[in-house]
Amino acid sequence: MQKMAFPGRHALEDPSHSHIPSSYAPLLDSSTTSANETSDRQGRRRRASVVALPLMAVLLVVALFSVVALVTNGNKPTPMVSTPPESQQPENMIPPRRGEAEGVSLKSFRPLLGAPKYSWTNKLLAWQKTGFHFQPKKNWMNGPVFYKGWYHFFYQYNPYGAVWGNIAWGHAVSRDLIHWRHLPMAMVPDDWYDINGVWTGSATILEDGRLVMLYTGSTNESVQVQNLAYPADPSDPLLVDWVKYPGNPVLVPPPGIGSKDFRDPTTAWLTPQGKWRFIIGSKLNKTGISLVYDTKDFKTYELLNGLLHSVPGTGMWECVDIFPVSKIVENGLDTGENGPGVKHVVKTSLDDDKNDYYALGTYDGETGKWTPDDPINDVGIGLRYDYGTFYASKTFYDQEKKRRVLWGWIKETDSENADILKRWASVQAIPRTILFDKKTGKNILQWPVEEVERLRMSKKVFDKVEAKPGSVVPLHVGFETSQLDIVAEFEVDKAALESINGTDDTTYSCPTSHGAAHRGALGPFGLLVHTDDHQTEQTAVYFYISKDTQGNCKTFFCADHSRSSEAIDVDKSIYGSTVPVLEGEKLSMRILVDHSIVESFGQGGRTCITSRIYPARAVYENAGIFLFNNATDAAITASLHIWQMSSAYAHS
């Protein structure tokens, strides 16, 4: 077939990035690149077949999901997916089901049929852009690795518009996972084996320090294949230039696997036999599976007999992941670690329902098989990383700080028309550390990386604020509330808790309840963020307690979007699940508020909820925070620390 011609791109002239157009603040310690490295790269151009393949922050793996500003030279090629101008779009046009025909999960939010299109102003659209989350300067985005002092983030990026399509790889670098600088695109779809998209991949650092990347490409016939790429200059800490292996593709779908059901290789790890091993997601009919491959040189591969794991009824497994967590130490583990003090997490992104599921279990390095601890809560039918808008996540091992870091993609849940108007779509969640919960022994803990705390500025403390049943208490912080870090603890009136002999809500569920308006004896209670003075718009993050007649309590952690916006063509679901609360523990939550993103962590990160919201009234100086208690029988007391957060970059 005729290959699409992509323009050449100048390599960086200055590794400090002082000449690269970017809305992000300068990186910390960006002067460490030597003058020799600078002169070696000046004037160098990349051929069309040479691509920069970014690695994300640490030793091994990363998947791609975000969008970054594009830096190119010359004329752009014709995009494969285009969007009609706003003036040509019908008022209530339902967007196409982007991604499905190409063999990936649905990438577009589809509002209710006939929902009127909200008339967003430029001021409101500008407010939606985040202050400290990684997101594209423009257009659509959707892993990381740490290499020679830099965190590298590679993500799926559409250089032509704020919708899914024309997928290339964006590239950004950081010293701290918070302040990012956009670099030229890492890889573009310019060969028959990836002409329909450069999709998710993962990085592996070999024993000699070399770095290789396996990624999924969509061929000229829309077949999903695996390809190899590696840095053109391994001594370059910025990994600007990448080379695609001339023998690509290195893997094609094996017999019995559909041509569009073979994607997303993980980071590889060394086996006891001295081979590199990784897994790929797929399905057999409606059974989600993970295939296991071994290789010695990343050019020839052996498909192991059997599977790492499979779960009937879960459908296609995307962005699969496997990694160890320690039952003993507090730090993260490299992907190849195993032993008696280790559990292994297996995770998948379910194509069928667009959620990320995980389970704890035991990995056998000899057979290449994984067994869940609790088959009732197996992969795809049990625990989730996040009960909100959070998908296609990947972890990597940060060898610099000895931690396992999770990245997830936050999609848009407004209309495609609005995304086109604001000219960008999608955001990355704040990177999270992952640890085994030694107290419960049944789940992981997720927590924002410590670097985000460097953005804290003004602080307001509220000590033991009482909220009686049915009350709403304003919290006057004295600064704008669009960017906040909130840490809160709650105590429920013990006398009321003990006197209630069972509640009538033992079948309570966050998604099927009536949200924060549903009154029970022991809840809901929590915080209202992005709330105007009249509370016509509000986003509630709260706890709800049910109690059976035997005195057993079950606690739920929820987020209610039903009144988050007066716009109708946006998602207004209620999210959440149960959260383990052990005897003697206070109820606690942490909330990161960043304009249209709210990330909530219950009980130290046992249950997490990411909210994507689009308020039209509760913005800028018109938004506030409230403590609320909608329980009928129990008073609550709350203590809060609230920080105003600085921006990681300046909007342009």
Side-chain angles (χ1 to χ4, degrees), residues 76-113:
K76 295 181 180 178
T78 303
M80 292 175 282
V81 176
S82 60
T83 304
E86 175 72 11
S87 60
Q88 297 178 16
Q89 295 181 358
E91 179 73 13
N92 297 321
M93 184 182 76
I94 300 298
R97 301 182 68 87
R98 300 190 187 275
E100 289 184 325
E102 292 81 2
V104 293
S105 62
L106 182 66
K107 304 300 182 185
S108 54
F109 174 72
R110 299 172 67 79
L112 293 174
L113 184 64

Side-chain angles (χ1 to χ4, degrees), residues 462-479:
F462 297 88
D463 188 38
K464 297 186 181 301
V465 180
E466 183 180 2
K468 296 180 179 180
S471 65
V472 178
V473 181
L475 300 174
H476 300 293
V477 295
F479 41 75

Side-chain angles (χ1 to χ4, degrees), residues 55-256:
L55 296 146
M56 188 166 98
V58 145
L59 182 77
L60 335 123
V61 358
V62 181
L64 313 357
F65 325 145
S66 302
V67 175
V68 203
L70 169 66
V71 181
T72 59
N73 178 47
N75 297 321
K76 295 181 180 178
T78 303
M80 292 175 282
V81 176
S82 60
T83 304
E86 175 72 11
S87 60
Q88 297 178 16
Q89 295 181 358
E91 179 73 13
N92 297 321
M93 184 182 76
I94 300 298
R97 301 182 68 87
R98 300 190 187 275
E100 289 184 325
E102 292 81 2
V104 293
S105 62
L106 182 66
K107 304 300 182 185
S108 54
F109 174 72
R110 299 172 67 79
L112 293 174
L113 184 64
K117 184 175 63 175
Y118 191 79
S119 298
W120 296 101
T121 65
N122 289 335
K123 185 177 181 180
L124 289 174
L125 292 174
W127 179 89
Q128 293 178 11
K129 196 156 192 177
T130 60
F132 54 88
H133 283 72
F134 181 88
Q135 70 175 95
K137 187 176 181 180
K138 64 177 182 177
N139 300 342
W140 189 94
M141 98 169 202
N142 152 238
V145 71
F146 187 81
Y147 189 77
K148 296 186 182 295
W150 294 90
Y151 293 99
H152 293 255
F153 183 49
F154 305 93
Y155 52 92
Q156 294 184 24
Y157 173 59
N158 179 2
Y160 304 109
V163 298
W164 186 89
N166 315 296
I167 297 302
W169 273 20
H171 183 193
V173 292
S174 173
R175 291 288 198 188
D176 62 2
L177 288 173
I178 301 298
H179 299 85
W180 293 90
R181 178 70 66 177
H182 297 312
L183 297 183
M185 282 196 300
M187 273 202 291
V188 294
D190 62 355
D191 223 318
W192 70 268
Y193 51 77
D194 61 12
I195 197 65
N196 280 318
V198 180
W199 293 350
T200 298
S202 294
T204 299
I205 294 180
L206 306 181
E207 291 179 291
D208 60 4
R210 289 181 299 140
L211 187 152
V212 296
M213 185 78 81
L214 287 175
Y215 72 94
T216 299
S218 181
T219 73
N220 56 328
E221 296 181 346
S222 295
V223 177
Q224 294 172 10
V225 299
Q226 311 312 313
N227 303 306
L228 173 66
Y230 41 85
D233 180 7
S235 68
D236 177 13
L238 299 175
L239 297 172
V240 174
D241 293 317
W242 286 76
V243 177
K244 294 179 183 177
Y245 174 54
N248 282 336
V250 294
L251 278 174
V252 299

Side-chain angles (χ1 to χ4, degrees), residues 299-494:
K299 298 175 183 177
T300 58
Y301 298 83
E302 173 191 0
L303 175 61
L304 270 63
N305 291 325
L307 304 166
L308 177 85
H309 194 54
S310 63
V311 180
T314 55
M316 178 67 196
W317 284 13
E318 296 189 300
C319 298
V320 290
D321 202 2
I322 179 171
F323 57 89
V325 289
S326 175
K327 298 190 293 183
I328 302 169
V329 300
E330 292 295 327
N331 55 275
L333 299 178
D334 195 353
T335 307
E337 295 287 336
N338 205 350
V342 172
K343 287 288 183 185
H344 271 79
V345 175
V346 167
K347 167 264 172 185
T348 184
S349 300
L350 284 195
D351 191 10
D352 285 358
D353 70 3
K354 311 302 179 291
N355 291 309
D356 281 13
Y357 292 84
Y358 79 93
L360 290 161
T362 302
Y363 168 69
D364 186 332
E366 294 293 332
T367 64
K369 300 190 183 302
W370 175 89
T371 304
D373 288 347
D374 178 10
I376 295 177
N377 287 309
D378 208 341
V379 184
I381 58 175
L383 298 172
R384 284 165 49 181
Y385 275 168
D386 193 293
Y387 291 86
T389 306
F390 185 95
Y391 191 64
S393 60
K394 277 277 193 172
T395 67
F396 72 95
Y397 176 65
D398 181 351
Q399 74 269 34
E400 181 76 0
K401 293 198 171 184
K402 305 292 187 271
R403 59 186 177 180
R404 174 69 53 175
V405 179
L406 170 70
W407 276 68
W409 171 55
I410 306 172
K411 66 179 181 180
E412 300 294 329
T413 58
D414 61 350
S415 71
E416 192 172 272
N417 289 325
D419 297 340
I420 294 168
L421 278 175
K422 68 179 182 247
R423 305 200 324 190
W424 61 269
S426 304
V427 180
Q428 285 298 122
I430 290 296
R432 305 172 181 179
T433 58
I434 289 183
L435 291 173
F436 177 71
D437 189 347
K438 295 195 288 289
K439 292 183 179 180
T440 66
K442 296 181 179 180
N443 55 271
I444 60 171
L445 298 172
Q446 301 173 63
W447 202 245
V449 293
E450 61 184 2
E451 288 89 339
V452 74
E453 297 174 14
R454 299 175 187 172
L455 300 177
R456 290 173 172 175
M457 299 192 300
S458 302
K459 180 181 179 181
K460 183 74 173 180
V461 177
F462 297 88
D463 188 38
K464 297 186 181 301
V465 180
E466 183 180 2
K468 296 180 179 180
S471 65
V472 178
V473 181
L475 300 174
H476 300 293
V477 295
F479 41 75
E480 191 174 308
T481 60
S482 295
Q483 296 177 198
L484 301 172
D485 188 353
I486 305 170
V487 177
E489 288 187 342
F490 301 85
E491 295 181 80
V492 181
D493 179 70
K494 289 185 178 179

Side-chain angles (χ1 to χ4, degrees), residues 2-60:
Q2 183 178 1
K3 297 180 182 179
M4 181 178 292
F6 279 76
R9 294 178 296 279
H10 289 292
L12 294 180
E13 294 181 357
D14 183 352
S16 72
H17 314 307
S18 60
H19 301 302
I20 301 174
S22 173
S23 60
Y24 282 72
L27 290 170
L28 306 177
D29 304 324
S30 60
S31 60
T32 56
T33 307
S34 69
N36 289 336
E37 291 170 335
T38 302
S39 60
D40 288 343
R41 282 194 296 272
Q42 284 180 341
R44 185 173 63 196
R45 292 178 178 268
R46 283 178 279 179
R47 296 174 289 109
S49 61
V50 179
V51 276
L53 198 48
L55 296 146
M56 188 166 98
V58 145
L59 182 77
L60 335 123

